[in-house]
Structures are given as structure tokens and as C-alpha cells.
Amino acid sequence: MGRVTETIDAVAALVAAGGVVVVSGAGLSTESGIPDYRGPTGAARRHTPMTYQAFVGDAAARRRYWARSHLGWRTIVGATPNDGHRAVARLQAAGLVDGVITQNVDGLHTAAGSGQVVELHGRLDTVVCLHCGDRTSRAELHRRLVAANPGFDATVAVVNPDGDVDLDDARVAGFRMVDCGCCGAGMLKPDVVFFGESVPAARVARCFAMVDAARSVLVLGSSLTVLSGRRFVLRAAKSGIPVVIANQGPTRGDGYAALRVDAPLGWFLPALTDRVAAVVPPGPGLVPAG
């Protein structure tokens, strides 16, 4: 524990200098009940995420996605921010975190009170029509799907990180989808970036600008396996901006990290925030716990 304490002190010194940009991944939301793809909960080992190509090109795949996602949505919409999300919001309220780049689609950073959040992969609580571009709330779509599928229910044992569940083919076959309520015929898709789909260029550019202006980058709960998030670590390292990685298990960015923490984020982040509060002048949002 002594080594972890020393590492927290070193991370606290970087954070206390301000100008921090947070890059968060699924590992930050596991303590809110949303599983990780590659962390200790290991959902990726049993679940292949939906690809954009399958979703738009295969009606059966699309039906399967919406049937499963319809059931999984109850868990996603019921999730609340955990101590890690709240710690990030505290640091931001104190003026030490300039912004958050999140790979998560659960909206929990915003729910915790963080601002300047770039949701790299979009949000599950919004739905877009691929024909007319109309955007509506997932809550509204959920009401329409409930009306179209009375009695469609199942006991859900595991919810996957992208919000769907495991469901047998017989149940899927009986599920009725709905079209866009605006144009009447458009294909509806959650407003998230699927595997095989590109993050909008303007969104990526905004993230690079945040990293370029940062004094340090704090990676939270991401294995950095895919380039989508790892590119910001590479950008910071190339520019000589210190990178701190806090994640349970190894990451593909470890070789670029100035400091590395392997610990549960729900414990580490409140501890870090309290340590920072002890070395910087008291300010809004940053009062030592207890």
C-alpha cells in the first residue's frame, strides 16, 4: 500500500497544478453497475459488439440489437454516478480539470456535474434517424417499443457494456421494431458510434485541441486497446505532456505513462481528490471529505 500512497502523492502534485484533461473509459462506470469490455468484468470475452455494417445492412441483426437493447436499457437508464464520477466533478469544480473526453455512452459524467464533456462515442439516451436525421430521446423510443411489444419481458442476468443483453433467437423473432416518428420510414439507431463506424472528425479535432492545451492527461478506466482513445495518449506523449493512467489491469498506453496506478477507481479517485484538497487552497467543490 505504501507504493500506491506514494503514487497518489505524485499524481496529486500533477493534478494540483491544474490544466488536467481526463480521458475516461468503461472501467470508470463499472461501480455504477455497467460492465467493462476488457477489465475485471471482462464482458468482451463473451460478447461480440454490434458493428455498424451489420446494423445497417442486416434487418435480422437490427431486430436482434433492438430487442436486446430494449431490455438492457432499464439497467443503463437506472445507473447513477459513482464516487469516481463525483471525484472528477469535484476536481473540475475546483478549476483543476479543464475538460473530460469520455469513451463511455452512459452520460454519467454529466449526471455527476461535470462540464466540458466530449462524449467521443455519443450517448445511448439519444436516438437518430438514419434517413431524415431527426434526433429523439431514448425514453420516447422506449415508450413506443413498450406499446408495440406488450408483454415483451425477460429476466436479465447480464447487461453488456453497449446496453444490450443476451437473448435467445425465439424471443428476438417476436420483437416488433418501430420506424422514425418524424419521417415515418427511417431506420432508427442509437446516437452512438458503433464498431466499424468513425467518430465525427470535428469531435476528434475538439479532443485533440483539449489535449494540446493540457498540462497533464489523466486516463481513467480505459485499457486503451482501440485507437479511438489511445490516440490522445499518443498525442500527449509526443508533445511531452505527462500522462497518468489509472486502470485495473494493463493497458496499451502503459509505455507512455509517467505514472501508473492499478486500483479500483471508486477508491483511488476520492483518495486522490482528498489529497489534492490538502495541498491546494480550498475552493468550490474541493473540500476534504470527513
Side-chain angles (χ1 to χ4, degrees):
M1 205 65 177
R3 179 176 294 179
V4 174
T5 300
E6 291 175 5
T7 303
I8 292 178
D9 287 338
V11 176
L14 274 178
V15 172
V20 179
V21 167
V22 167
V23 177
S24 70
L28 185 60
S29 292
T30 56
E31 292 177 49
S32 293
I34 300 174
D36 195 350
Y37 275 117
R38 300 175 179 85
T41 59
R45 299 186 187 104
R46 62 178 180 273
H47 173 66
T48 301
M50 175 64 66
T51 67
Y52 179 77
Q53 292 75 15
F55 185 87
V56 300
D58 185 344
R62 197 158 54 251
R63 182 186 305 277
R64 184 167 59 250
Y65 173 84
W66 279 121
R68 294 175 171 184
S69 183
H70 179 57
L71 296 178
W73 174 243
R74 295 174 300 186
T75 295
I76 300 297
V77 76
T80 58
N82 61 50
D83 288 343
H85 296 108
R86 287 188 286 269
V88 171
R90 285 177 63 199
L91 292 171
Q92 191 170 24
L96 302 177
V97 170
D98 288 345
V100 177
I101 300 168
T102 184
Q103 297 170 271
N104 300 338
V105 295
D106 50 41
L108 293 180
H109 276 296
T110 301
S114 286
Q116 298 300 315
V117 178
V118 179
E119 286 153 330
L120 192 64
H121 297 151
R123 285 178 63 138
L124 274 174
D125 62 3
T126 305
V127 178
V128 61
C129 173
L130 296 183
H131 176 68
C132 72
D134 183 60
R135 280 177 164 76
T136 55
S137 74
R138 180 64 182 268
E140 172 61 24
L141 175 63
H142 185 74
R143 287 191 289 269
R144 294 179 62 204
L145 288 174
V146 168
N149 295 276
F152 185 84
D153 204 352
T155 300
V156 176
V158 177
V159 177
N160 296 309
D162 49 2
D164 75 356
V165 302
D166 293 327
L167 194 64
D168 64 72
D169 291 342
R171 296 301 308 279
V172 169
F175 184 78
R176 291 185 59 195
M177 296 191 295
V178 297
D179 291 323
C180 175
C182 180
C183 69
M187 182 189 303
L188 295 178
K189 173 183 172 292
D191 196 13
V192 299
V193 177
F194 281 2
F195 282 77
E197 188 177 7
S198 297
V199 177
R203 196 178 300 170
V204 175
R206 182 183 173 193
C207 293
F208 276 138
M210 290 170 62
V211 171
D212 290 343
R215 290 182 182 173
S216 62
V217 171
L218 178 59
V219 179
L220 303 174
S222 176
S223 64
L224 300 172
T225 299
V226 296
L227 185 60
S228 180
R230 191 169 71 253
R231 56 185 153 187
F232 304 120
V233 169
L234 299 176
R235 178 76 159 237
K238 184 177 180 179
S239 300
I241 298 168
V243 174
V244 177
I245 297 178
N247 185 67
Q248 287 190 272
T251 82
R252 289 193 65 186
D254 288 350
Y256 302 96
L259 294 166
R260 177 73 170 87
V261 179
D262 193 326
L265 296 178
W267 170 83
F268 166 70
L269 283 169
L272 170 66
T273 306
D274 285 346
R275 197 68 52 86
V276 173
V279 299
V280 301
L286 195 62
V287 178

